[in-house]
Structures are given as structure tokens and as C-alpha cells.
Amino acid sequence: MGGRTRVLRNPIAFVSGLVFGCFVILTLTTMLRLPDPTTRATTHHSNNHNKLLIGKFGEMMMEMLPEDLAFTVFLPSEKAFKRDLRLDPSDSFMGEKMNDTYAVVSRVLGFSAVPRSIVSETVAFGKEMSYDSISGFVLHISKDEDGRLVVNGVRSERVDLRRKGSVIHVMDGVLMDAEFRQSVQYDGEED
């Protein structure tokens, strides 16, 4: 007991003990490092928890968001980018097309991102939640009978993916307002 009070009265011994304790905790934490839970992905078609693959356009969208803020992104799948916006990863990043691709993808991000975390568990079946995206576009979020998220009529392919503190739901379509939809439609296409 006498040695303990001597250490507490001696500031150098106290600080040294505190630094040593922090060093031990830090060493044990790094040695026992657990897998990063942010790389977990869930799908409705399998329970495979492989590393998140969101495609080139998805990576481009996520790079546009700040890392230190939480967002929910209703990210179009690569198939949806190709089908709905005519963007193909094999040629959309080449030369002059890069600027157009960046403009379209950044606009889609504005329609698809909500500045808060929304995980699928918080959406109750039969209830609709409404949030404004960062562009002010209203997103109506619900859950269908299969347990998939439905946002403005677009169904999810994968939900609750995590990247950079954000929640990503991969969608089978592109969320956009009517004006933008009209601007990206091509001649001969019907609504």
C-alpha cells in the first residue's frame, strides 16, 4: 500500500505508468485485430458476405462523398447504369466521355444520397418513410413482401453494404426526377 501511494504522489512515475498501460492496450488491440465489419455485404439472393463490389460507377459516386459524414446511398447497379443511362464502364471513362460521365454520375448521386444512415432494419414492412436527398429530391422508402427495399418504385438488389461510414443499398434502377430522366433519354426511346 505504501508503494502505491508513493507512485501516485510522484508525477513522473504516474505518467510513466499511464503511458505503459496505454502502450499495452494499444499493442493488444493491434495484435487481436478483428476483421473489418464495414466490408460485409448482404444480398437477398445469397448469404454470401464477400467483399463489397459496387462497380466503377459506384466507386466514382462514393469517392464524391466526404468520408467523415454518414450518408445512405441508393446506388444503381452496374446493370442499371447501362440500361437506364447508357453508361458502360468499358467506354464511359475514355477521353471526352469522362467529363460527361462525371456530370451524369454526380447528378445521380444528388438524387440517390440521403445525409443520414438508413439501414433496412429501420424500414418497417407496410410503412413508408420519406427523406429528402442531397439535391432535394424526395425519396419514398418502403419494404416489399420479399423484404427488399423499394425506393420510388425501384427495388433493391443488395442492402446494408458499408463503405466509408456510409450505408449503401444497390438498386435495380436509377433514382432521378422527371426532368433529368427526359434529358438522358435517347431518340426512339419510350417512357
Side-chain angles (χ1 to χ4, degrees), residues 22 51 112 123 135 166:
C22 290
K51 188 163 175 114
S112 305
V123 180
S135 71
S166 293

PDB file of all heavy atoms in Angstrom, residues 22 51 112 123 135 166:
ATOM      1  N   CYS A  22      -1.221   2.432 -21.564  1.00  0.00           N
ATOM      2  CA  CYS A  22      -1.756   2.733 -22.900  1.00  0.00           C
ATOM      3  C   CYS A  22      -1.018   1.938 -23.969  1.00  0.00           C
ATOM      4  O   CYS A  22      -1.628   1.435 -24.920  1.00  0.00           O
ATOM      5  CB  CYS A  22      -1.659   4.229 -23.188  1.00  0.00           C
ATOM      6  SG  CYS A  22      -2.788   5.211 -22.190  1.00  0.00           S
ATOM      7  N   LYS A  51     -16.432  -9.470 -50.010  1.00  0.00           N
ATOM      8  CA  LYS A  51     -16.062  -8.063 -50.073  1.00  0.00           C
ATOM      9  C   LYS A  51     -17.002  -7.309 -51.021  1.00  0.00           C
ATOM     10  O   LYS A  51     -17.414  -7.816 -52.040  1.00  0.00           O
ATOM     11  CB  LYS A  51     -14.618  -7.938 -50.563  1.00  0.00           C
ATOM     12  CG  LYS A  51     -14.088  -6.548 -50.475  1.00  0.00           C
ATOM     13  CD  LYS A  51     -12.599  -6.577 -50.574  1.00  0.00           C
ATOM     14  CE  LYS A  51     -12.107  -5.162 -50.604  1.00  0.00           C
ATOM     15  NZ  LYS A  51     -11.358  -4.796 -49.501  1.00  0.00           N
ATOM     16  N   SER A 112     -29.678  10.224 -55.224  1.00  0.00           N
ATOM     17  CA  SER A 112     -29.604   8.927 -54.557  1.00  0.00           C
ATOM     18  C   SER A 112     -29.087   8.951 -53.127  1.00  0.00           C
ATOM     19  O   SER A 112     -29.188   7.943 -52.437  1.00  0.00           O
ATOM     20  CB  SER A 112     -28.684   7.997 -55.360  1.00  0.00           C
ATOM     21  OG  SER A 112     -29.104   7.910 -56.685  1.00  0.00           O
ATOM     22  N   VAL A 123     -36.663   0.112 -41.667  1.00  0.00           N
ATOM     23  CA  VAL A 123     -37.821   0.303 -42.543  1.00  0.00           C
ATOM     24  C   VAL A 123     -38.804  -0.829 -42.251  1.00  0.00           C
ATOM     25  O   VAL A 123     -38.519  -1.990 -42.505  1.00  0.00           O
ATOM     26  CB  VAL A 123     -37.407   0.296 -44.035  1.00  0.00           C
ATOM     27  CG1 VAL A 123     -38.624   0.485 -44.927  1.00  0.00           C
ATOM     28  CG2 VAL A 123     -36.358   1.352 -44.303  1.00  0.00           C
ATOM     29  N   SER A 135     -30.032  16.551 -53.144  1.00  0.00           N
ATOM     30  CA  SER A 135     -30.460  17.513 -54.161  1.00  0.00           C
ATOM     31  C   SER A 135     -31.869  18.041 -53.890  1.00  0.00           C
ATOM     32  O   SER A 135     -32.367  18.869 -54.631  1.00  0.00           O
ATOM     33  CB  SER A 135     -30.425  16.867 -55.552  1.00  0.00           C
ATOM     34  OG  SER A 135     -31.457  15.905 -55.672  1.00  0.00           O
ATOM     35  N   SER A 166     -20.688   5.116 -44.622  1.00  0.00           N
ATOM     36  CA  SER A 166     -21.982   5.258 -45.274  1.00  0.00           C
ATOM     37  C   SER A 166     -22.640   3.895 -45.466  1.00  0.00           C
ATOM     38  O   SER A 166     -21.969   2.872 -45.482  1.00  0.00           O
ATOM     39  CB  SER A 166     -21.818   5.933 -46.643  1.00  0.00           C
ATOM     40  OG  SER A 166     -21.405   7.265 -46.490  1.00  0.00           O
TER      41      SER A 166
END
